[in-house]
Amino acid sequence: MPAKVLSSAILGIDAYVVDVEASLSGAKLPRFITVGLPEGAVKESKERVTAAIKNSGFRFPIKHVTVNLAPADIRKEGSAFDLPIAIGILATMGNVKKEYLDKLMMLGELALDGSLRPIRGALPIAICARDKGIKGIIVPKENAKEAAVVNEVKVVGADSLNEVVDVLNDEVIKESVFVDRQEMFRSSRNYYVDFTDVKGQEHVKRALEVAAAGSHNLIMIGPPGSGKTMLSKRIPTILPDLTLEEALQTTKIHSVAGLMPQGEGIIATRPFRSPHHTISDAGLIGGGAVPRPGEVSLSHNGVLFLDELPEFKKNVLEVMRQPLEDGVVSIARAAVSLSYPSRFMLVAAMNPCPCGYATDSHNECSCTSQMIQKYMSRISGPLLDRIDIHVEVPAVPFTELAEREPGEPSAAVKKRVQGAREVQLNRYEESHIFANAQMESNDLKQFCKLSKEGAALLKTAMDKLGLSARAYDRILKVSRTIADLQASSDIEIDHISEAIQYRSLDRQLWLG
């Protein structure tokens, strides 16, 4: 009699139920075939399953073995079907009781000796099981903690095929894994860097605080060794804490990508991703023959840091424009279209010129104006248009480096940022906006009204400093955030003045 085992597969960042059906039939020559649009590792599973069954002490049937993965119209990829295929074959031979097979979902990669190896996507698979009313799930032991984050599903972590067979045959009773989701969430909120480590650069820290308070994209321009990377790595420490819902969504993305930290069940800190400038557009945005989340999605709810921005390929930078605008990446293929969330804060860093010393008073720049202009032109206007804050990062003088007093801790800055974010959430509670950086033209008219003096100052700045028209909206948004940090309902002249200073690339001071 055929046997059916419940399993699951990933589509985007969500999972769906897959029925693994196994059937034996007499044949002159034994065969093992898998149908249901198997790909890559799924096609190779027959070799792993055959060896694992034999090395676990069972007899492999000398018959025609057919395994079907339903629904058959969706391509299946990955090694997680090894365990349900093996259990299905053993069930058709009478080695496994069938009474639990329609009540449990199971997944796992089999080693040749029958031991279980971890899989990707344990959390979305557990969520799928809960949504479909499936009460239990068997996964490799390394994935049990992650799957158990979904408290409504009983999770059993197993080490081997033999152990799963014993559980299904009631020969071994294993307690389900339980985790205190709230406690796990609280205990995992630790960062290992802090703004107290940064000496000097007070005006840059202020710009980062403003950027964090309004979720503004930011670019830092300065010579090598001025601390741009060090400052960027500490931005997550001043962002508001992840909510549980945000943490679950972030964990799903990292789980699907196979990037969950060993032994962790949930990601409770804001992601910080820093891809190398040689990355491809598929690596940054996502995709590939078998679509995977890219760096922009792995940065969801966190920070995407692009160091040496002009060194990235232009086509790679240009594909970021859509996720920056929409907060989602859409990947279209002939058979399926996928969407990955990608709401992140973009932080970029660059030198002011090819040699890096155009703004450094202690080192002589060897670049001509034409070389600098060509270097700067690698960043397109449309991309620059999506960056609200430009801040210059000078080299740190020795007197500040030698200062023994620690800087302001991240916790103090974070408290101010959290207060400004709460103001914004209350302001935009009836709209789709959650931070000032997301305001559109109509929102600017409603929430960023200027006094006559403020409007006059902004007009003068645009005329005398040669600011571009696109800078106007950016200055208003940043001004609104600065006012929120100071708990001011109105945008004052000093708020506008500070916001104007954050448009260095519009003024291009180092070009003369």
Side-chain angles (χ1 to χ4, degrees), residues 69-90:
L69 307 177
D73 59 340
I74 302 177
R75 294 191 179 278
K76 320 298 187 308
E77 205 278 333
S79 57
F81 296 113
D82 289 2
L83 177 60
I85 289 173
I87 293 297
I89 293 171
L90 292 175

Side-chain angles (χ1 to χ4, degrees), residues 15 28 45 62 79 185 198 210 236 265 327 389 400:
K28 292 182 180 180
S45 66
I62 308 176
S79 57
F185 188 50
V198 182
V210 172
I389 296 177
E400 292 185 3

Side-chain angles (χ1 to χ4, degrees), residues 186-203:
R186 283 192 296 269
S187 63
S188 301
R189 279 181 171 175
N190 299 319
Y191 293 96
Y192 299 100
V193 293
D194 196 280
F195 265 110
T196 55
D197 307 327
V198 182
K199 300 294 181 67
Q201 305 291 23
E202 296 304 323
H203 75 289

